[in-house]
Structures are given as structure tokens and as C-alpha cells.
Amino acid sequence: MLALRTTLLQSLTPLLWTLMAPAFAEELAPDALVKGVTAEVIAALRQDPALQGGDARKIAELVDAKVLPHFNFRRTTQIAMGQSWRRATPEQQEQLVSQFKLLLVRTYSGALASYRDQVIEFRPLRAKPGETEVTVRSVVKQGGTAPIAIDYDLEKSESGWKIFDVRVDGISLAANYRSAFADEIRNNGIEGLIKVLAGKNGTGIT
């Protein structure tokens, strides 16, 4: 069951994260933010044959415009690194954030073309006034499969709400990398992990 949920996490979460980038200049409540932009991006996917056909350039442009500005990838990387984060130098931390972000964005881009009219239903937001961290809950319904619970963790920043993690049936996307990262650090150190991530991304180490 855990393996099945992990597979669902890897296949569905990138698409759902991509559907959540704010399209409005004014600050919105986190649940309104997620709902409004989900509808906008789904409409774009349905209307653009190039996106439906997996045009890599257009998908990359959509991800760059709609996703990157609205995530706290530093905190996402901290979750993935666990206790090892504090062992990294400031320079290593920046490299880790950069490479992990590229890895996730590549995954998002690959998942975008797989959208096939899934139905996303949002639950009422349960948050107290003044809270700086909230969870927006939703359920994804697909024909022929059981509904999948998707929880989005957001934090309030000076520039608005930022997404820092997504959980699929309780499994954290960021924490899902923790074991693999810890094994690589144990065997080859933090520099080894950076090199592995750079290799997966096809980039050099900056």
C-alpha cells in the first residue's frame, strides 16, 4: 500500500503543484488562491493543443511563469534534507536548493502533459485568523480509481502565500526524498548529493 501511494505521489503531485500558481496581483486567501488558479491553468491545458501534446518548450514556459515564483523551494529542500541541512555550508545550501528545484520542475513539466480531465474538489479551509501556516485540502477524482486526498501546505511570507510541501494521502513529497538523500550523504557527503542532483538535471555545479 505504501508503494502504491508513493507511486501516486510521484505521478500526481507534480501536476497538482503546477496547477496552483497565483494569477492575481492582489493577495488572496490561500484556499481562494489555489482554487482560482487551478481553474485557470486547467483551462489553459484544455485549450492549448501544444500543451496537450507535450510541447517541452511551452510546458517549460508555463512552469516557469506559473510555478517558480510561488514556492518556497528553500523550505522544501530543508524538509527533504532533514537534519543534514544544518551540516551544509551556506554555499552548499544554495546549491542544494537550486538543484532540487530543477529536479522538481523537470518532474512537474513531465507530468503536465498527462492531465486528462481529473476532477479536483476542495474542502473548506480550516484556519484561525492570523495563522501563518495553513493546509488547503482537496480530493482528486479519476474515473476507475479511488479518490486521492491532496493536501497543500502553505506559509505566509512578505510576498504572499508560498507553497512549501504537498502531501498525497498523507505522504509528503519533500520528505519522500529524505531517505535517498540521507543514504547519499552517508556514502558520499553533501558534495556527493549535490553532484548526483546536478547529474540528474544535466547541469554543472555552480
Side-chain angles (χ1 to χ4, degrees):
M1 180 63 70
L2 179 59
L4 174 60
R5 289 183 175 181
T6 300
T7 300
L8 290 171
L9 173 71
Q10 293 172 337
S11 63
L12 288 174
T13 297
L15 168 63
L16 294 166
W17 276 30
T18 304
L19 299 181
M20 294 192 307
F24 308 104
E26 68 273 16
E27 182 176 302
L28 296 178
D31 56 338
L33 195 70
V34 173
K35 293 175 186 177
V37 179
T38 297
E40 179 181 301
V41 178
I42 287 176
L45 290 171
R46 289 174 176 170
Q47 294 169 7
D48 193 330
L51 290 174
Q52 296 172 16
D55 184 305
R57 181 184 61 80
K58 294 203 70 172
I59 290 175
E61 289 175 354
L62 180 62
V63 171
D64 187 62
K66 297 292 186 180
V67 178
L68 298 189
H70 306 292
F71 281 84
N72 183 346
F73 282 108
R74 184 177 182 86
R75 183 163 179 188
T76 306
T77 308
Q78 287 177 304
I79 296 171
M81 290 288 293
Q83 295 182 351
S84 297
W85 176 258
R86 293 192 296 270
R87 294 168 48 195
T89 66
E91 181 181 1
Q92 287 174 329
Q93 289 177 353
E94 292 304 314
Q95 291 177 327
L96 287 164
V97 171
S98 176
Q99 295 297 338
F100 192 41
K101 177 175 69 174
L102 285 174
L103 179 65
L104 294 177
V105 169
R106 289 176 65 245
T107 305
Y108 307 155
S109 298
L112 250 184
S114 68
Y115 177 77
R116 292 297 182 272
D117 291 324
Q118 293 93 338
V119 176
I120 304 174
E121 296 180 356
F122 291 93
R123 304 308 191 201
L125 179 65
R126 297 181 179 179
K128 298 178 181 179
E131 283 190 317
T132 58
E133 291 192 5
V134 302
T135 299
V136 175
R137 304 183 188 279
S138 72
V139 175
V140 177
K141 297 183 177 181
Q142 305 178 95
T145 63
I148 300 169
I150 310 289
D151 297 338
Y152 309 98
D153 293 329
L154 300 92
E155 65 178 0
K156 184 71 173 294
S157 72
E158 293 182 355
S159 56
W161 290 98
K162 301 289 185 182
I163 302 158
F164 63 87
D165 200 7
V166 178
R167 286 171 284 123
V168 177
D169 282 343
I171 301 174
S172 159
L173 174 68
N176 196 51
Y177 285 90
R178 188 174 294 163
S179 177
F181 282 13
D183 286 344
E184 182 62 38
I185 291 171
R186 188 179 305 113
N187 294 327
N188 299 301
I190 291 174
E191 285 297 323
L193 174 59
I194 294 171
K195 290 179 180 179
V196 166
L197 292 174
K200 290 181 179 295
N201 293 327
T203 66
I205 299 176
T206 58

